[in-house]
Amino acid sequence: MDLIDRYLNAVAAQLGQDERADIIAELRDLILSRFEAKEEELGRALTDDEKEAILHEIGHPLVVAARYRKGPDSLIGPELFPYWLFAVKAGLLLMLAVQAIVLFVNLLSGPADAGQSIGQAVNGFISSGLTLIGIVTVIGAVMEHVGYRPGWMSKWRVSELSAFGLSDPATWGAAMGGTRAAKATWTPRVRRLRWPGGEHLFSFLAVGLFVLWWIGVVHFPGLVHVGLGGEEATVTGAPIWTTLFGAILLYAVAQMAVDLASLVRPYAVRMRAAAQVVIAGAGLWLTWTIFEAGHWFTLTRDGEEARIAGDWVMLDFDTLRTLGDGARDLVGVASTLSVIMVWVLAISAISLVFQIVANLWRLAQPDRRPSA
């Protein structure tokens, strides 16, 4: 009886309180009947080893409990697994692209620190990748447990499938190549279909990754260090980022909300355009405020500091042509990054203006939503 009690206690620990007593009573009867049948067959009492062999035949306590437990039998079931795999692959490729950009910026300081910069990029990719996989798995597990299935899993069209190329490295290669030759080399020879919500899926993943980094869930170690002649300079943010922390977070979350709504209702063009006008206007204000701050980051090494800062004077093509010609010391690298930052903010502002104009134009057009 001690063997039976230990076995049943192990099973009971995996069951809910409301159903435990009935299931354990049923199992106890099953085990006793198996023992009695075996004893009648042998004509003697069973040894402990023989009893344990019968319990092995019935199954491991965890497996037996799973047969009675309500709800899903797996963390990510076969129905959700393909979507989980796509999200992981697309997210990892996006993180790889981010780390490649960070590595490029770090290598501006010179080839002497290339090994260290590459190591930081690899470490950042692994740590952020593991975080991504964990978050996607938790979301998938919750969906599996509550039985939630978004409408787009069942109501989809063949013309809406091209966005799934985000998980294909060949698609990213073609996009980065840009030329017809690159596309012919990297892109599979298949008909390229268009999904009205495809760009919004990419935006949702990209902005979601930014939000995770902004609130400190995901870390990119290479962003806070710049190699200089075998030594490291620490990058610290200017006060403007603390001042605008909440506003930038709200802006990013609002963009994710619009992207998510666009995925659910890809043909709601006018509603999306109206929301994008407001969000782009907020983004333009943020960009202007950041630009007007004039000071964005500070490089520090051995007590020496150099500001990454700029103004309208740097928006000059002559300055842009001489980019990278400066010294590789702290001040020179800070000067190079200052020019880059000024132009990034300027291009961002222009892009947001075009986005506002384009969405206002969409609002002025008649609704062309396809009929059901």
Side-chain angles (χ1 to χ4, degrees), residues 29-46:
D29 291 341
L30 171 64
I31 294 170
L32 289 175
S33 63
R34 293 281 295 271
F35 282 7
E36 291 172 359
K38 191 65 174 178
E39 287 175 345
E40 289 180 4
E41 178 185 341
L42 297 176
R44 59 174 174 80
L46 298 178

Side-chain angles (χ1 to χ4, degrees), residues 30-292:
L30 171 64
I31 294 170
L32 289 175
S33 63
R34 293 281 295 271
F35 282 7
E36 291 172 359
K38 191 65 174 178
E39 287 175 345
E40 289 180 4
E41 178 185 341
L42 297 176
R44 59 174 174 80
L46 298 178
T47 65
D48 286 347
D49 289 340
E50 290 170 336
K51 292 177 181 179
E52 189 150 357
I54 294 175
L55 294 177
H56 273 270
E57 293 175 2
I58 294 175
H60 193 282
L62 294 177
V63 177
V64 172
R67 297 171 189 163
Y68 294 93
R69 187 170 53 242
K70 298 177 181 178
D73 295 329
S74 56
L75 193 63
I76 305 292
E79 184 183 4
L80 286 179
F81 178 77
Y83 300 92
W84 174 89
L85 183 61
F86 164 75
V88 168
K89 290 172 64 178
L92 289 178
L93 284 171
L94 181 62
M95 288 184 173
L96 184 63
V98 171
Q99 288 294 345
I101 295 173
V102 173
L103 178 61
F104 171 75
V105 172
N106 284 337
L107 290 179
L108 287 176
S109 60
D113 305 306
Q116 185 176 8
S117 298
I118 293 173
Q120 289 177 342
V122 171
N123 179 65
F125 174 72
I126 293 175
S127 60
S128 57
L130 291 175
T131 303
L132 167 74
I133 294 173
I135 293 173
V136 174
T137 301
V138 169
I139 294 174
V142 171
M143 291 175 63
E144 188 72 50
H145 181 74
V146 302
Y148 172 72
R149 299 292 185 270
W152 50 263
M153 288 181 61
S154 57
K155 299 177 182 179
W156 55 272
R157 302 177 181 179
V158 175
S159 59
E160 301 172 354
L161 301 179
S162 63
F164 294 101
L166 288 173
S167 63
D168 181 12
T171 303
W172 288 69
M176 290 186 290
T179 63
R180 291 184 178 180
K183 292 181 178 180
T185 302
W186 290 100
T187 307
R189 296 176 179 272
V190 296
R191 181 185 176 189
R192 300 191 61 77
L193 303 172
R194 183 179 180 275
W195 178 28
E199 67 273 18
H200 304 293
L201 176 61
F202 180 86
S203 174
F204 181 81
L205 293 173
V207 178
L209 178 61
F210 168 79
V211 169
L212 292 176
W213 171 77
W214 189 248
I215 63 178
V217 175
V218 174
H219 300 279
F220 299 108
L223 287 175
V224 296
H225 298 286
V226 174
L228 292 172
E231 299 182 13
E232 280 192 350
T234 302
V235 182
T236 54
I240 185 62
W241 302 112
T242 302
T243 303
L244 295 179
F245 179 86
I248 293 174
L249 179 60
L250 181 62
Y251 168 76
V253 172
Q255 182 62 62
M256 289 182 67
V258 173
D259 290 332
L260 186 60
S262 301
L263 287 172
V264 177
R265 301 184 61 187
Y267 295 104
V269 177
R270 295 173 63 84
M271 180 182 68
R272 181 168 63 249
Q276 289 287 17
V277 168
V278 176
I279 292 177
L284 191 61
W285 173 80
L286 284 172
T287 303
W288 174 261
T289 304
I290 294 170
F291 188 91
E292 283 294 295

